[in-house]
Amino acid sequence: MSEPVFEPKAPLASNIVQGWTAKSDPASVFEAARAEMLRQKRAAMVLGAVLFLAAFVASVVVGEVDLAEFVDGVPNLLNYLSDIAPVLRGDHLVEDVGEWHWSFWRWLELLWDTLLLAFVGTGFGMLGALLVCFAGSRNLVQSGVVYFAARRLAEIARAVPELVYAMIFVFAFGIGPLAGVLAIAVHTSGALGKLFAEVNENIDLGPVEAVKAAGGGWLSTIRYGVIPQVLPNYASYSLLRFEINVRGAAVIGFVGAGGIGQELMYVIRQFIYSDISAIVLMIIATVIIIDLSCERLRHWLIGREGFS
Amino acid sequence: MSRLTVSAEEVARYRSMTPRMFGPNLRERSLRWGVALLCVCFSLYAMDRTGLFDLASIWDGLGKLGFLLNLMFPPAHNGYFWDFLGGIAETLAMAFLGTLGAALIALPLGFLAAKNVSASRILRFFFRRSFDAIRGVDQLIWALVFINVVGLGPFAGILAIIVADAGTFGKLFSEAIENASRGPVEGVRASGGGRLAEARLALLPQVFPVLISQTLYYFESNTRSATILGIVGAGGIGLQLSDRIRVNNWDEAAFIILMILATVSVIDYASKHLRVRLIGKHG
């Protein structure tokens, strides 16, 4: 990067020698430059506004936005919300809650399965990420081909949404949690692989060179020079990814890949109203609990001295 | 050359002086191993429960997967190219309007939920918890809800993105606002500005680059997620993709996936450049 150089539009020194003229005195040179800058800025803003408006109008047309339809739909929405709301009466509260959550224990089991799905998927995704991340770090591999291949591999794994993998895997492995685990694992290995590689690229190279100088091979360089530096970040990113995957695992059942999503899809499609709110509430509670406990765990890990 | 010798007593003395220098003691070590063993056992249980030890069906599935991949090549559009392109355009429109709407709704809510703007503790608590609850429900579930309101189609997807992301943006924006410096706020107050002037003149200029950056980031993210909203019927390319998978048109499915990949990388690239243009290199 080169420093920006100040270049006056007119040769000032020679102007001073030749005497002041209206066109070339520093103040008017400055004013002219400023006016030019403002004009450019205004032109850029007008262009930006026009592009934005064009994108907006095109999106409204293509996206079939119909506010009348929405307004007509609002009563539907309110009806829907009141339909899915449970019947709770003050004098029969316990019975009513019991009836609302009539298959609480089965749903809890499904939620437990959902958590396990996210857990195993994140675990295998981490393993996959570890396999690609060192080869995908510019500062750790010499060969440009290896770097390029690892980065593209992670990109492809990351760019295809979980649900698309899930649809394909459901076809291959049949309906059930196996397809979901594999889908989450493949997507996670791409997402974490990229993050891990970026962490690797920001390390202090001192320890790496020390291990190399002491005669260590590539593997011991990674093990003793890189891993101790990056492990806290890996743990932090993996926990974040686990939170994301819990949300993902809750809906991956929509395409038949296990977890609570399958049940939720069923009750929504069959209009079993009070079950919808019961299950959604349980999902929200689970997600909030997982988020809070991951946050605690993350702070504990980061706060520990000499974590390795 | 003299040899350095250490007697057993000296070792014992140093051990009692600085016990941690010789590594963790037995209790710590057994605790560590115990936790590790527990983790391994739990992982094995979780793997068993999710069917990863069902080797026969894994083997079977891998065979089928190879077969599918074989069917996917070469990817072909079979004359549906313009239909697919229309689906991609719909996806982009959904991501654009969804992100824009969510950001516009979340901006005032973010101010109301920020500690340094909103005086009322109850209001703040209410907004914060609402954001959390909204974020706890996935976009796909919101899409299913809005299909009941406005019917199948991209508009349902747009509304789903707006609602789900309003929760996320509300949280992110209010955090950005809370991190803003107090100096300008006090300056505006000292020169007689009201609360609205504080928000507009002191806080907004500080947080604007952060808001733009986050909005662009979520536009990228929504481009990805809008590709799958169609799977539940909420418009976009996902509808065509799930149709092709359902009827075993694997070469067309592969073509659609490639188109999604190309779109996502174009959007990422464009948004990276836009970000640099709008807020400079370090935004």
Side-chain angles (χ1 to χ4, degrees), chain B:
Chain B
M1 250 171 62
S2 67
R3 266 202 17 226
L4 193 71
T5 53
V6 184
S7 66
E9 296 92 73
E10 265 182 306
V11 171
R13 195 156 61 81
Y14 282 118
R15 195 185 276 279
S16 66
M17 269 165 62
T18 56
R20 300 221 26 123
M21 223 171 84
F22 292 84
N25 58 26
L26 191 65
R27 210 181 122 258
E28 275 175 310
R29 248 182 314 181
S30 48
L31 195 72
R32 217 173 267 185
W33 280 103
V35 169
L37 196 69
L38 220 66
C39 286
V40 169
C41 286
F42 181 74
S43 304
L44 290 178
Y45 159 75
M47 281 163 68
D48 181 46
R49 185 118 187 158
T50 47
L52 276 168
F53 290 128
D54 189 357
L55 294 178
S57 66
I58 289 185
W59 184 246
D60 215 39
L62 283 178
K64 270 193 210 157
L65 198 63
F67 181 65
L68 289 187
L69 287 176
N70 205 16
L71 284 181
M72 279 183 176
F73 285 97
H77 57 76
N78 298 342
Y80 290 108
F81 180 73
W82 293 104
D83 287 0
F84 295 164
L85 208 62
I88 294 273
E90 213 171 270
T91 304
L92 286 178
M94 283 158 61
F96 180 73
L97 288 181
T99 316
L100 186 67
L104 290 180
I105 290 175
L107 188 61
L109 297 185
F111 274 99
L112 287 179
K115 214 181 284 175
N116 49 352
V117 178
S118 167
S120 155
R121 226 178 144 165
I122 300 163
L123 200 68
R124 225 159 55 216
F125 183 82
F126 168 75
F127 277 119
R128 280 290 163 94
R129 292 293 87 79
S130 316
F131 294 155
D132 284 348
I134 290 174
R135 279 187 314 127
V137 181
D138 197 270
Q139 261 175 16
L140 278 173
I141 301 177
W142 284 116
L144 284 173
V145 169
F146 281 115
I147 284 172
N148 286 310
V149 178
V150 295
L152 295 170
F155 192 33
I158 294 174
L159 293 174
I161 296 178
I162 289 181
V163 172
D165 274 15
T168 315
F169 279 148
K171 178 183 148 72
L172 291 174
F173 288 3
S174 65
E175 277 165 8
I177 293 164
E178 282 177 2
N179 285 333
S181 150
R182 287 202 53 76
V185 178
E186 278 159 14
V188 171
R189 195 175 299 165
S191 47
R195 295 195 75 87
L196 205 64
E198 269 169 39
R200 165 68 190 85
L201 296 172
L203 288 173
L204 196 61
Q206 285 191 64
V207 294
F208 197 64
V210 182
L211 305 194
I212 288 284
S213 170
Q214 275 164 350
T215 308
L216 276 174
Y217 178 76
Y218 271 89
F219 175 56
E220 291 170 37
S221 152
N222 282 333
T223 310
R224 289 156 207 262
S225 52
T227 58
I228 56 171
L229 284 175
I231 295 172
V232 298
I237 189 76
L239 182 64
Q240 277 137 325
L241 180 58
S242 63
D243 276 354
R244 295 312 187 278
I245 291 181
R246 222 163 271 154
V247 298
N248 271 331
N249 264 343
W250 292 99
D251 52 348
E252 286 172 32
F255 192 84
I256 294 177
I257 291 175
L258 288 181
M259 281 179 84
I260 292 177
L261 294 188
T263 312
V264 165
S265 48
V266 167
I267 291 294
D268 281 5
Y269 181 81
S271 124
K272 203 157 117 192
H273 277 253
L274 199 60
R275 179 173 303 146
V276 171
R277 265 206 85 109
L278 286 176
I279 56 179
K281 274 241 176 329
H282 303 289

Side-chain angles (χ1 to χ4, degrees), chain A residues 6-21 24-26 29:
Chain A
F6 174 69
E7 280 170 359
K9 288 254 153 99
L12 296 176
S14 60
N15 285 342
I16 294 169
V17 174
Q18 285 160 14
W20 302 98
T21 62
S24 60
D25 74 293
V29 167

Side-chain angles (χ1 to χ4, degrees), chain A residues 215-280:
Chain A
W218 193 77
L219 271 180
S220 19
T221 314
I222 298 294
R223 168 66 189 85
Y224 298 103
V226 181
I227 294 275
Q229 294 190 55
V230 294
L231 213 52
N233 279 328
Y234 282 10
S236 177
Y237 279 136
S238 303
L239 277 173
L240 273 177
R241 194 69 219 177
F242 175 63
E243 290 173 30
I244 297 172
N245 284 344
V246 169
R247 287 154 208 260
V251 294
I252 211 164
F254 282 12
V255 296
I260 188 100
Q262 228 159 315
E263 177 82 4
L264 181 59
M265 189 71 159
Y266 176 76
V267 297
I268 290 179
R269 284 272 155 93
Q270 300 294 319
F271 301 102
I272 308 173
Y273 286 120
S274 68
D275 284 13
I276 301 175
S277 58
I279 294 177
V280 167

